Structures are given as structure tokens and as C-alpha cells.
Amino acid sequence: MRVLVVAAPLSGHLTPLLPLAHALWDSGHEVLLAGGDAHPLPGTDPLPFIDVARSLRVGRLAARSLVAHPVTARAELAGRGGDAGVRSLFGPVNEELTDALVTVAEQWRPDVVVYEPLAVAGALAAARHDVPAVLHENGLLDGFALVRTLLDSRPLQRARLRHGLRGVPPPAIALTIAPSSLVGARDALAVRPGRARGSGRSSLPAWLSGPSVRPRVLVLRGGGPVRGDLQSSAVRALQGVRADGPDCELVLVRPPARLLRHHGPGVRTVGRVPLDELLPACAAVLHDGSAAHVLAALAAGVPQLALPGPGDRRHNAELVAARGAGLGGPFTADTLRRLLNDGELAAAARDVRAEIAAMPTPQARVEVLTALA
């Protein structure tokens, strides 16, 4: 069986689809990844990849959208863009992807096309060649709603008519990596989220492998217009936690040079290490609200602060807070204290960890896809 796996040409959109792609490959099926400037990504080897966005400049499209729809663009930056925000950027992106994907499908002849919600051009290519399509959610947003929004957009209507399609059939099946206790019941098959394969070699420092006198708080990059803003805020807030010194240890992941040189007591730094290796050594994690960070913290059962931000990040932060597995909102010394001392947050995080561990693995879903071919 040949499976074409399609993602929008943005960093992080392809990664959640890689565990299923590897499971298919390991089962003896042919797999072709299709995306854009997000490649090369750790964990893609040995899967072949084709760039279907060589002439597509997402930054240029985003700038054009900002000029044409300034109110929507400002709302999107605040995480409140809604359907209009999705249409304004990903409508034009998918229109440009459609022609290339139709050509790839014509030449490579896949038996199944797997696409993520913001790469609905994959569904058009599948429909054009009468191939079953599988919707694979790659975050916490409702994948079906995103697909409907994009298919109703003018750019996708143009692309559909250009290829002689009166409509696009619904996906043969849908897969979701979102825990139901977080997002509610969905008409999709659950598949356990996981990180892409790496080199298999851990770079976890020895000091992180042993016990710590104080609880460790992992602080990831991001959280503002300037990378490292969240880390700077955490370092400043640490000084106000206790008058006689810090009662926790901050672990900054790949901090900017200014923090690497001047971070003060009670702060340590670490380079590029897989989150699933870092998180078990920490009592809490602070991050920018991306779906990948939310799910990694939940899978580890670690309380988290998800900072509201652009795109889906405000939505993700609100889901975490509503589930009680962490906090969503601005970072302060008080939120740091609560993350470390609130037993209910810790218990809820552990409950979601057990829920994720019980979700079927990507390998368990290979047979479902095989039946479509």
C-alpha cells in the first residue's frame, strides 16, 4: 500500500503525523511525506519527502493577509482570529499547494492520502484521483471544523473548480491525538500522541538524571514577540517567590545568549533534549501554549502553565485550565507557587497521563488504513 502524508508547510505541522507514518513504514507500506520548509525535521528518516511548496512563501502570504484583513490579523495574533483567521492565511496556502499535490498524486499513485486539518489540499488531491482520504488531527482544535472552514473559503473553491471537483468527500476515517477529557467526544479514532523518532541517543545531562533538593521547573522558549520572553519573566519571578531565596530550580531550555550569561542563582540551562526525557525530571513546565508542548506535558503527567498566544495557543491554554491539569494565563510568582503546591493540578495531570497511555498506538491503527486501500 502507498500512503501520501500531507502537512502544511509550517514547522510543527508534520511532526504529529510522523508516528503513524513510521508505523506504516515499519509494517512494510510505502510512505511519502509531502510538505514544505518544515523539512528536514528530526525523526523523518528513512521516510522519503517531497517539497510541494517550493514556490510558496508563507511569510509573504501572511503579510498580504495582514494588509488585506488587518482586524482579523490582529485578532489572530491574540488567539482570537477564529474561522476568519484560518481562512485568511491557510486558504491561500492550500490553494497554492493543491496543484502540486494533484500532480504528486497523479505520478506517485497513492492508495490512501493522510492529511492534517490545515493541509486540506491533500483532501482535494485525493478526491481528484478518487483515492480515500484520512484526516489526522495534529493538535487540539476540531479537525472537522477546520476542514469545513477551509473548504468553504474562496481560495479552496477556486482550487476545487480548477480541478473539476464539484465537492470534496468527507474523510473515510479521522484520527485524533487529543484526549477526550480535554476536548470532548469526537467522531474520530483516538491515536496516542508521541514524538517523532530521533537518533536514539539521549543528551540528557547527568545532573538532570539525579534527584534535586528543590523542585525543578522546566521553562521552554517562546511566550512573546521576542524569543525567550517567558524565560526572562520566569527568572525575574523566581526572585520574588521567597525573600530568603528561591524555593525551586528553573531549567531553561536553549535560552537566548543574554540569559545564558546572566541568569542568577537557582537557574540552570540545558540544550536541545527531547521533551519526553526532560519532563520526568521536573515538577512543572512553563511553555508558549503550542499543542505539542501541551500534549507532551500531559503525556508526562506534569502540571503546566500554557501561555495564551497567537493561533491556537489561547484555545490550548483555555483547555488546559478547564481540565484542571494546569494553568492558562499570564505568568507570575503566584502561578509558579500554585504549579508547585496545588495537589489538584498534579492529580489532574496524572489522570490525563493515564488517559493518554490508554489510547491506541499508531501501530494499532495501521490495519484500519490498510482496509481502505
Side-chain angles (χ1 to χ4, degrees):
M1 179 177 71
R2 286 186 165 188
V3 183
L4 179 64
V5 179
V6 182
L10 293 171
S11 178
H13 281 240
L14 179 61
T15 302
L17 280 60
L18 291 178
L20 177 66
H22 278 292
L24 289 161
W25 181 271
D26 292 343
S27 298
H29 301 290
E30 294 183 66
V31 176
L32 178 61
L33 306 177
D37 60 4
H39 189 77
L41 283 171
T44 55
D45 292 337
L47 303 176
F49 175 89
I50 185 168
D51 187 350
V52 291
R54 291 177 184 175
S55 61
L56 195 158
R57 298 292 180 266
V58 176
R60 185 180 303 168
L61 291 175
R64 188 183 305 167
S65 173
L66 176 62
V67 172
H69 309 285
V71 175
T72 297
R74 286 195 295 270
E76 185 69 8
L77 289 173
R80 296 188 173 94
D83 291 350
V86 171
R87 285 192 298 266
S88 66
L89 176 59
F90 288 98
V93 165
N94 277 271
E95 182 181 18
E96 295 206 22
L97 289 177
T98 298
D99 293 346
L101 286 169
V102 167
T103 300
V104 169
E106 181 179 4
Q107 295 176 349
W108 195 63
R109 299 289 181 182
D111 299 297
V112 176
V113 174
V114 176
Y115 67 99
E116 55 104 349
L118 294 178
V120 74
L124 270 71
R128 176 65 180 81
H129 295 288
D130 197 25
V131 174
V134 174
L135 172 62
H136 190 316
E137 292 183 346
N138 59 352
L140 302 177
L141 292 171
D142 185 331
F144 282 101
L146 291 174
V147 168
R148 286 193 299 269
T149 295
L150 285 174
L151 288 178
D152 288 342
S153 69
R154 288 184 179 179
L156 269 297
Q157 290 176 10
R158 289 195 298 263
R160 179 170 51 81
L161 293 174
R162 191 163 63 245
H163 291 282
L165 295 170
R166 291 188 174 183
V168 177
I173 60 171
L175 302 172
T176 182
I177 61 173
S180 60
S181 71
L182 210 70
V183 301
R186 288 186 176 170
D187 189 16
L189 299 176
V191 60
R192 187 188 307 165
R195 74 175 173 97
R197 293 179 186 174
S199 63
R201 298 176 59 188
S202 172
S203 53
L204 193 69
W207 60 269
L208 266 173
S209 302
S212 173
V213 175
R214 298 188 298 270
R216 295 187 177 115
V217 178
L218 191 65
V219 191
L220 306 181
R221 295 185 74 167
V226 180
R227 301 185 87 179
D229 281 1
L230 178 57
Q231 293 178 334
S232 298
S233 299
V235 171
R236 290 194 299 268
L238 180 63
Q239 311 310 319
V241 172
R242 286 178 58 185
D244 58 345
D247 62 355
C248 67
E249 178 180 81
L250 295 185
V251 180
L252 310 182
V253 179
R254 299 172 57 235
R258 56 189 167 82
L259 279 181
L260 195 59
R261 293 190 300 266
H262 308 290
H263 50 62
V267 180
R268 305 186 77 163
T269 65
V270 66
R272 191 184 296 274
V273 180
L275 271 181
D276 60 349
E277 295 182 21
L278 282 172
L279 283 165
C282 299
V285 58
L286 316 178
H287 61 77
D288 61 1
S290 72
H293 292 159
V294 167
L295 288 169
L298 292 173
V302 176
Q304 60 186 290
L305 173 71
L307 204 66
D312 64 343
R313 296 178 182 185
R314 178 173 298 277
H315 174 76
N316 297 339
E318 290 171 352
L319 288 177
V320 168
R323 180 60 180 83
L327 304 174
F331 176 70
T332 65
D334 287 339
T335 59
L336 181 57
R337 291 191 188 93
R338 187 175 171 196
L339 283 173
L340 293 172
N341 301 316
D342 191 327
E344 292 184 359
L345 292 180
R350 290 193 298 269
D351 287 345
V352 182
R353 177 181 61 189
E355 180 184 359
I356 291 175
M359 294 167 71
T361 64
Q363 188 65 49
R365 295 306 189 192
V366 168
E367 187 176 346
V368 178
L369 270 68
T370 305
L372 298 175

